[in-house]
Structure formats: structure tokens, C-alpha cells
Amino acid sequence: MISPLAIMSTAAAVALVILGIAFLLAGWRVLVGPTPPDRILALDTLSGTAIGFIAVLAVKTGFSLYIDIAISLGLVAFLATVAFARFVMSRAPVAERHSEKKARAPKKPKVAAKRSDKNGRKGKK
């Protein structure tokens, strides 16, 4: 019969290999990515993969401090992704930003015509 320790060790090794492949593929996308949003998404994937590495190491070694490190890395990675996304959105082409502002701008209410006399009639006296 296989011992639980052997199963845990084999599962951790397989998980590390899969995470390593994911890390390489995401790294390739960071280097080659055709657009900045692709690169930002790949960086977010890299940070998620790094969190996975740390979590697998925490399970494999039994050192629970690694979990705290993984959580803090996740928080920092989230903030970095938001900052990069805001940066990309601020660099949108001028025509695109102008059309977005027009679409979001509230329409002006129609102003009633000014009345010239007490009875509300317009025109000459």
C-alpha cells in the first residue's frame, strides 16, 4: 500500500511541473504579447502561478508562513493589475476617449422660449 506521504510528495511534484509549464507559457506571453492588455493579463497570470508555487511549497514543507506570503503577494498583484489597467485606459487614443465622453455626457434639457409680454405671447407689440 502507498503511504500518504508518498502520495503527497507525488502530487506536489506533479503540481510543481504543471505550474512550471504555466509559468513558462505566461512568461512567453509577457515577452511576445501583441498588445499591452495581453501583457498585463500575462503578468496577472504569472502572479497567480507564483502564488500557486508558494502554496504547493507550503503544503509540501508544512511551513505555514508561506501561506501568509502567498496572501500578501495576491494583494500586491491585484493592486498592480488595477494600476496597469488604469494606465492602459488612460493611454486610449484621443478620438476614442472623445467618443466615450460624448456617449457618457448627459443631454442638455431643452429650454423653453422666452416670453415677451405678460400674456405669454411672443412677437411684436
Side-chain angles (χ1 to χ4, degrees), residues 38-96:
D38 288 331
R39 290 184 173 152
I40 292 170
L41 186 61
L43 283 173
D44 195 36
T45 303
L46 281 176
S47 64
T49 306
I51 291 168
F53 270 118
I54 294 170
V56 170
L57 288 176
V59 169
K60 189 173 182 178
T61 61
F63 195 55
S64 64
L65 182 63
Y66 287 148
I67 299 297
D68 295 334
I69 294 169
I71 291 171
S72 61
L73 178 62
L75 292 172
V76 170
F78 171 73
L79 292 175
T81 302
V82 170
F84 281 139
R86 287 189 59 126
F87 173 71
V88 167
M89 290 301 293
S90 71
R91 292 186 59 201
V94 176
E96 184 179 316

Side-chain angles (χ1 to χ4, degrees), residues 25-43:
L25 291 173
W28 177 255
R29 180 53 59 191
V30 168
L31 295 175
V32 178
T35 63
D38 288 331
R39 290 184 173 152
I40 292 170
L41 186 61
L43 283 173

